[in-house]
Amino acid sequence: MTNKLATNVRPISIHHFPFVFGQSLMIIFDDKKGTVTKQHDDGTEEVYPLESAKAFEVMSEAWLRASWDTKYIYSFSWFGRPIIQLPEDMIRIQEVIWDHQPDVIVETGVAHGGSLVFYASLFKAIGKGRVIGVEIELRDHNRKAIDAHPLRSLIEIVEGSSIDPKTIETVKSKIKPGEKVMVMLDSNHKKPHVLKELEAYGELVTPGCYIVAADGIMELVAGGPRTGEDWKTSNPKAAAIEFTKNNSNFAIEEPKWPFNEGVLEKRVTYWPSAFVKRLR
C-alpha cells in the first residue's frame, strides 16, 4: 500500500484563489528539492528556495485565504473573552503599544470584548493606561461578561455609532489634555465608514502614534465565503490609502520590528496597509 504522505512533491492547487497574485495559478511545494514554485496558466513559472522570504510569502498568502475560509480566527480567546483576530496581528500591535506607551487606546468595534481585554492587560503590565471601546449596540451577554472581568476598571465603553457626532464628542470628552492616544478601527469595515472614522478620530491621535484600520484583507478574500460583492474596492485598506492621500499629516507607515533575526520583512496579516501614522 502506497503511503501518500511520504511523497516529496506536494502540489497545492489554488485555481479558485485568484486574489493571491491576481490570476489563477498552481503552487507546488517540493520538500525534497527545498523549493516553492508558482505555475501560471500562461505556462510561466517562478521557483523560490524554501528558505527564502519570497517562498514564505507565497505560502503565507495561500494560508491566509485558507484561514479565512476555515474561520481560523474564530478560535481564540484572551483572558477568557473571544478575540476574533489573527494572532500575529495581536503580537505586532503589542510591539507597537510597548514602543509608544500610550495612555489611551480608543477602539471602535467591541463585539465580545476580547480586544478590549487584550489592550487592558497590556496596560496593566505597563502600569498605566486605559482603553475606550465604542460599540453601536453591545449585546447584553457581552456587556455582562466585560463588566465581570477583573480588568474592567481599565475599560470604558461608549455605546453608539462610531461616526455619530454625539459618540465622537463623548469619546473626545473622555481624553484628558496631554494624554498620548492611539486608535484602533475595527467596526464597520466598508470604505465610506472607515474614511469617516479616520477623519473623526485621526485628530485624537498623538503625533508619532498610529490610527490602525484593521481588516484590509477584505480586498484579498473578495469572492470567497462570507464576503460581499464590493469587498475588492470597499475596505479599510482602500480607506487608509485615500485618507493619507488627502491628508498630508498622515502616512501609511509599517512599524519597525523590535526584534528580527530571520530573513522576513513582511507581516503575515489581516491588516495590510493598516498602520496610519500621524506625522505632526
Side-chain angles (χ1 to χ4, degrees):
M1 181 176 178
T2 301
N3 182 357
K4 294 183 179 179
L5 294 178
T7 182
N8 288 314
V9 181
R10 302 174 187 176
I12 305 173
S13 174
I14 57 170
H15 285 291
H16 298 296
F17 300 164
F19 81 94
V20 178
F21 303 102
Q23 58 182 306
S24 296
L25 54 83
M26 175 88 72
I27 293 177
I28 298 176
F29 166 48
D30 189 329
D31 58 357
K32 183 177 182 180
K33 293 181 179 179
T35 59
V36 173
T37 302
K38 288 165 47 181
Q39 290 187 345
H40 300 273
D41 281 351
D42 61 7
T44 61
E45 67 177 30
E46 302 164 48
V47 182
Y48 304 107
L50 190 58
E51 69 273 14
S52 68
K54 190 61 180 180
F56 184 83
E57 181 181 334
V58 170
M59 299 294 283
S60 294
E61 287 177 322
W63 178 84
L64 280 170
R65 171 55 192 266
S67 77
W68 175 267
D69 288 9
T70 58
K71 300 181 72 173
Y72 170 71
I73 63 170
Y74 290 80
S75 63
F76 299 96
S77 65
W78 186 263
F79 284 20
R81 297 307 301 151
I83 183 168
I84 306 172
Q85 300 286 358
L86 195 70
E88 177 161 337
D89 285 328
M90 302 315 291
I91 293 296
R92 294 299 178 195
I93 195 65
Q94 169 271 145
E95 293 174 341
V96 174
I97 292 168
W98 177 255
D99 182 44
H100 288 272
Q101 302 273 313
D103 299 296
V104 182
I105 291 176
V106 176
E107 181 180 47
T108 64
V110 171
H112 299 280
S115 294
L116 292 184
V117 172
F118 179 83
Y119 301 132
S121 70
L122 296 181
F123 283 138
K124 183 72 172 180
I126 290 171
K128 70 164 189 174
R130 68 191 190 284
V131 56
I132 301 172
V134 181
E135 179 60 62
I136 190 167
E137 186 176 356
L138 188 59
R139 295 179 179 178
D140 288 342
H141 66 279
N142 288 328
R143 180 181 293 278
K144 290 177 181 178
I146 295 170
D147 285 345
H149 201 278
L151 293 172
R152 181 65 174 87
S153 63
L154 301 179
I155 297 171
E156 298 181 63
I157 296 175
V158 176
E159 196 157 357
S161 169
S162 61
I163 59 173
D164 186 306
K166 292 182 180 179
T167 303
I168 296 166
E169 286 305 312
T170 299
V171 172
K172 288 181 178 179
S173 71
K174 292 181 176 295
I175 297 173
K176 303 170 186 176
E179 288 190 313
K180 195 172 187 179
V181 181
M182 283 181 57
V183 177
M184 300 294 303
L185 304 179
D186 194 22
S187 59
N188 182 326
H189 295 307
K190 294 297 184 73
K191 179 183 175 181
H193 186 93
V194 179
L195 263 176
K196 290 179 181 178
E197 288 185 322
L198 286 164
E199 291 162 357
Y201 296 96
E203 65 183 61
L204 297 181
V205 176
T206 304
C209 286
Y210 289 93
I211 179 168
V212 183
D215 287 336
I217 195 175
M218 288 168 61
E219 175 190 25
L220 302 179
V221 300
R226 310 183 315 284
T227 65
E229 294 181 359
D230 62 346
W231 279 28
K232 191 72 177 176
T233 56
S234 185
N235 56 70
K237 177 182 175 181
I241 291 172
E242 183 169 324
F243 176 74
T244 53
K245 181 179 179 181
N246 297 328
N247 293 272
S248 60
N249 286 344
F250 295 85
I252 296 173
E253 183 177 308
E254 282 288 313
K256 293 181 179 179
W257 297 357
F259 174 77
N260 184 12
E261 291 186 350
V263 301
L264 305 179
E265 296 180 349
K266 294 182 179 180
R267 294 177 291 123
V268 179
T269 184
Y270 271 35
W271 303 352
S273 301
F275 286 90
V276 178
K277 187 175 186 178
R278 183 171 181 180
L279 304 177
R280 53 187 177 276

